[in-house]
Amino acid sequence: KKRIQSLVEDERVSRFFDDGWKVLSEREILLPTGKRERPDRVMIDERETIVMDYKFGEKKQHKYKDRVKEYLKHIKQMGYPEPKGIIWYVNQMEFVKVSI
């Protein structure tokens, strides 16, 4: 519990865990193909929408970036404002920005 608390209080991520966001965790996105995708965390405010995918193991950036780009593409099609993506490698405390 202390580890998680210290992670979300870190200045690099604390803004994503404040009360200013409408948060959708593990919500399904139904794709036109009938396939369902489930981003880890989607944060929405009046200016932007951020998709955050958590990773706890090794980096496989290309694969993960492609998946987040797909999430962003569909979220944009749904009309959410300014979709942006972040892959958070939690154990390494590293962040990769993703855009479409």
Side-chain angles (χ1 to χ4, degrees):
K1 186 175 178 179
K2 287 182 181 182
R3 170 88 169 124
I4 292 170
Q5 188 68 33
S6 70
L7 287 170
V8 299
E9 288 176 352
D10 186 284
E11 66 182 28
R12 293 170 285 180
V13 294
S14 60
R15 84 174 192 99
F16 301 122
F17 293 92
D18 68 22
D19 293 334
W21 299 98
K22 175 181 178 184
V23 177
L24 306 174
S25 295
E26 295 284 333
R27 294 279 179 93
E28 285 189 342
I29 298 173
L30 179 60
L31 306 180
T33 62
K35 185 178 175 186
R36 297 171 190 265
E37 293 286 348
R38 192 178 302 161
D40 291 332
R41 183 179 179 88
V42 178
M43 298 161 282
I44 306 161
D45 72 7
E46 62 278 347
R47 299 175 323 270
E48 64 184 335
T49 305
I50 298 177
V51 175
M52 184 177 281
D53 225 20
Y54 310 120
K55 300 298 175 201
F56 293 90
E58 65 184 66
K59 289 185 176 183
K60 295 182 182 175
Q61 289 186 11
H62 189 70
K63 174 184 169 183
Y64 298 148
K65 281 177 112 173
D66 289 346
R67 182 177 298 144
V68 172
K69 281 182 184 183
E70 280 297 307
Y71 296 157
L72 295 174
K73 183 176 91 174
H74 295 295
I75 285 172
K76 183 175 181 164
Q77 289 172 344
M78 288 187 272
Y80 287 97
E82 296 296 319
K84 299 171 186 161
I86 298 171
I87 301 170
W88 179 12
Y89 293 96
V90 178
N91 292 334
Q92 296 88 357
M93 205 52 179
E94 292 182 32
F95 305 90
V96 175
K97 293 182 182 180
V98 181
S99 58
I100 47 176

